[in-house]
């Protein structure tokens, strides 16, 4: 099964790091700048996931995941956030997101999260 990882937000250097980290395990990495645009046409089908950041606006990230779930979109979501975002991690879990990774995130941790997502959706 092919794997497509959608990445919402992040600075250019973080995008390059994510793309490099996932090069061996993802068939495609697609970057998205706008959460509203993503919500308008969320991807569907197996082998897809979303990586989102909770670094800048935790409430917006939670809102995005909540909106996906309310619309019946079961896309796995991996959220990267600061170590101080314990409450956000709990809320993300309650919204049935796939994972919350505390920064700093290693290549190994990111790959493992995407692999778990892939095995859960197959």
């Amino acid at each position: 099964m092919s794997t497509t990882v959608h990445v919402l937000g992040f600075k250019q250097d973080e995008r390059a790091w994510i793309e490099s980290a996932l090069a061996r395990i993802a068939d495609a990495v697609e970057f998205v700048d706008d959460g509203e645009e993503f919500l308008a046409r969320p991807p569907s089908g197996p082998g897809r996931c979303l990586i989102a950041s909770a670094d800048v606006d935790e409430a917006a990230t939670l809102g995005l995941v909540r909106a996906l779930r309310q619309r019946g979109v079961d896309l796995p979501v991996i959220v990267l956030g600061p170590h101080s975002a314990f409450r956000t991690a709990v809320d993300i879990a309650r919204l049935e997101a796939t994972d919350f990774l505390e920064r700093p995130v290693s290549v190994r941790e990111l790959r493992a999260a995407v692999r778990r997502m892939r095995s859960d959706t197959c």
Side-chain angles (χ1 to χ4, degrees):
M1 171 190 300
S2 67
T3 302
T4 300
V5 179
H6 304 272
V7 180
L8 177 61
F10 295 97
K11 296 176 186 171
Q12 195 60 36
D13 59 330
E14 293 173 308
R15 287 181 172 202
W17 179 82
I18 290 169
E19 190 169 36
S20 174
L22 300 179
R24 291 183 177 178
I25 66 166
D27 299 298
V29 177
E30 298 179 4
F31 295 98
V32 181
D33 291 317
D34 184 348
E36 290 298 320
E37 180 182 318
F38 186 81
L39 276 173
R41 289 185 290 288
S44 61
R48 297 180 176 275
C49 73
L50 171 66
I51 296 176
S53 173
D55 288 332
V56 176
D57 191 346
E58 293 175 30
T61 302
L62 283 169
L64 173 71
V65 177
R66 187 173 289 114
L68 286 169
R69 298 307 179 246
Q70 288 172 344
R71 295 174 186 194
V73 178
D74 62 353
L75 180 73
V77 180
I78 300 166
V79 177
L80 278 57
H83 71 277
S84 61
F86 177 76
R87 183 74 200 153
T88 300
V90 170
D91 290 342
I92 288 292
R94 287 182 179 154
L95 289 171
E96 299 179 19
T98 302
D99 217 336
F100 182 91
L101 302 177
E102 182 181 299
R103 288 191 183 264
V105 177
S106 71
V107 169
R108 175 188 249 172
E109 290 172 305
L110 186 61
R111 286 179 182 164
V114 171
R115 284 186 184 111
R116 282 191 300 274
M117 172 283 310
R118 197 170 50 197
S119 66
D120 289 347
T121 59
C122 294

